[in-house]
Amino acid sequence: MRSIWNGSISFGLVTIPVKTYSATDHTSSVSFVRIHEKDGAQIQYRKICELDGEEVPNEEVGKGYQAPGDDTVVPITDDDLSRLPMPTAKTLSILSFTDPDQIDPLQMDKAYYLGPNGAAATKPYALLREALEDHRKVAIGKVAMRGRESLAMLRAHDGALVMHTLLWPDQIRPVTGVAPDEVELRENELTLAETLMDSLGELDPAELHDDYREAVEELVAAKLEGEPVAPAASGASGAQVIDLTAALEKSVRAARGGGEAEAEAESASVTPIRGRKTAKKGEAERGTAKKSGAAAKKATGKKTAPAAAKKAPAKKTAAAPKAAGGRAKGTSTAKKTAAAGTSRKSTSAKTTSKSTASKGTTSKSATKKATAKKTAAKKTAAKKTAAKKTSKRSSA
């Protein structure tokens, strides 16, 4: 790695000679050259003087300062700049130490590795590095590089010192007019968003790569070999208004390893907000019977009336032969069932419900006591006789 700047770090009365290396490499990113489409030749950029229209050689190119909003250009020579007071021309002067959270990432500009310059700089270099790591601080100072002074942040990283040049505070534009107005968020939406953040896990830098650069390289290889270029698959439009809660739930399931197919199979899929009421209405119509039964059960706390009515005669019919042991008992039960049917068809709802409840209670009592005692059987017969008379009166 080639050093691009040599200087020193001023740490109180301690001076640490360092070499500076570029920490980033932009050569791997995709870049294009301008060509003449007619013949494919590259287009050259030449320095042309605005007054005479002639090309200017590099040795005649100088510096000039033009104030913002002013057309006047003031020539500035290297001698003029050398006479300016710049104590940070070859020194990174540390001004203070602060927490890393106090530095806004918007201020970070370029990154450089700093290494010790000479054997004498090894020990103070290691001392400053260990002090920054143990104290969990970063150093803030000023440094002049490439003819201009800028803020700099010094931190320990992977056994070395890293210097980040920082933008001045007035170089950061305000955020006015960018952020939306106050938006009302529900508690479950915020909870789902935080759950999704936790489910995505930590980032593995080894999995990060430039897909666009690979696509460009494949395109260039195909053109060189004369092969047809396959069109790229068009992505889905993201302009559709979606149900935010449903989208978050689906994202959480996919992040937890459910997969795309399983996430799509779940009921809480991404649904347009306007269509949710219609979908609910359709589901209500398809499940009317189920909801009606559930509503009736919730209202009464018991089984529905038709179900109870069907089970009651069945119990009476099965228990009748055991209690009477003969044809008379079966005949009595049949008459009783017919009377119950006639009674249910009458217009008096209260009389019918009381009669049905009385019969249900009587049949249960007869079933339990018929096999235990003969006395209970006689009482049951007497009650049924009374019920028969009552049913005949109702029929009349």
Side-chain angles (χ1 to χ4, degrees):
M1 192 180 298
R2 186 175 63 88
S3 174
I4 61 174
W5 182 80
N6 293 340
S8 61
I9 300 174
S10 177
F11 177 32
L13 299 178
V14 179
T15 300
I16 308 173
V18 293
K19 290 183 177 181
T20 305
Y21 309 88
S22 180
T24 58
D25 183 12
H26 297 281
T27 58
S28 60
S29 60
V30 176
S31 60
F32 302 97
V33 296
R34 295 185 178 273
I35 63 171
H36 188 194
E37 292 184 352
K38 184 177 181 180
D39 52 20
Q42 292 192 25
I43 298 176
Q44 298 181 356
Y45 292 91
R46 299 180 180 180
K47 301 177 178 66
I48 304 298
C49 179
E50 292 185 354
L51 293 179
D52 54 21
E54 297 182 357
E55 184 178 355
V56 179
N58 291 332
E59 58 270 14
E60 296 182 7
V61 176
K63 296 183 181 69
Y65 179 81
Q66 183 178 6
D70 192 355
D71 295 336
T72 304
V73 178
V74 180
I76 302 293
T77 64
D78 292 339
D79 292 338
D80 295 335
L81 295 176
S82 63
R83 288 192 291 266
L84 294 177
M86 189 178 291
T88 60
K90 287 290 183 178
T91 304
L92 170 58
S93 180
I94 296 178
L95 304 177
S96 63
F97 295 87
T98 185
D99 295 330
D101 297 339
Q102 298 299 319
I103 304 301
D104 193 334
L106 285 173
Q107 287 188 258
M108 294 187 180
D109 190 10
K110 297 181 180 180
Y112 303 91
Y113 290 138
L114 300 183
N117 189 2
T122 302
K123 187 172 183 178
Y125 178 93
L127 177 63
L128 178 59
R129 180 196 62 197
E130 295 298 325
L132 290 174
E133 286 184 349
D134 294 343
H135 211 42
R136 296 181 180 179
K137 297 286 186 177
V138 295
I140 303 298
K142 291 182 179 181
V143 64
M145 294 179 63
R146 298 176 179 176
R148 65 187 64 187
E149 187 178 56
S150 63
L151 285 174
M153 181 185 73
L154 198 64
R155 67 184 180 94
H157 171 71
D158 200 14
L161 291 176
V162 180
M163 179 181 69
H164 295 268
T165 55
L166 304 177
L167 300 176
W168 297 97
D170 58 357
Q171 292 179 302
I172 305 299
R173 293 179 176 178
V175 74
T176 306
V178 176
D181 296 334
E182 294 184 1
V183 180
E184 183 178 356
L185 297 176
R186 293 179 293 181
E187 186 66 23
N188 63 325
E189 293 174 343
L190 184 59
T191 302
L192 285 171
E194 294 173 351
T195 303
L196 177 59
M197 294 169 63
D198 296 336
S199 301
L200 290 176
E202 297 181 357
L203 176 66
D204 184 5
E207 297 180 356
L208 301 178
H209 57 277
D210 192 347
D211 295 331
Y212 182 71
R213 183 183 66 184
E214 294 180 357
V216 171
E217 292 174 352
E218 293 176 0
L219 172 63
V220 172
K223 281 184 169 291
L224 289 175
E225 295 178 1
E227 297 179 356
V229 180
S234 59
S237 176
Q240 183 182 12
V241 179
I242 62 174
D243 185 340
L244 180 59
T245 302
L248 287 170
E249 291 174 351
K250 179 179 177 181
S251 301
V252 170
R253 288 194 298 273
R256 287 177 175 176
E260 188 68 20
E262 182 178 348
E264 291 180 357
E266 297 292 340
S267 59
S269 60
V270 180
T271 307
I273 293 177
R274 296 179 180 177
R276 294 189 70 188
K277 293 183 178 180
T278 305
K280 289 183 178 178
K281 183 178 180 181
E283 292 176 2
E285 292 176 353
R286 290 193 296 269
T288 303
K290 184 183 290 184
K291 291 184 178 179
S292 300
K297 184 175 180 181
K298 184 176 180 181
T300 60
K302 300 179 182 179
K303 295 181 179 179
T304 56
K310 289 180 180 179
K311 290 186 177 181
K315 290 182 180 179
K316 294 172 186 175
T317 306
K322 294 182 181 180
R327 186 179 300 175
K329 192 67 178 182
T331 304
S332 177
T333 305
K335 290 181 179 180
K336 182 179 178 182
T337 305
T342 305
S343 177
R344 283 195 297 270
K345 292 181 180 180
S346 67
T347 57
S348 178
K350 293 183 179 180
T351 303
T352 303
S353 61
K354 289 181 180 180
S355 177
T356 303
S358 177
K359 293 168 189 175
T361 305
T362 304
S363 63
K364 291 180 181 180
S365 177
T367 303
K368 293 180 180 180
K369 296 180 180 180
T371 57
K373 296 179 182 180
K374 293 182 178 180
T375 305
K378 293 180 180 180
K379 292 182 179 181
T380 303
K383 290 181 180 180
K384 289 181 179 179
T385 302
K388 182 177 179 181
K389 294 179 179 180
T390 303
S391 63
K392 289 181 178 181
R393 293 173 182 176
S394 300
S395 301

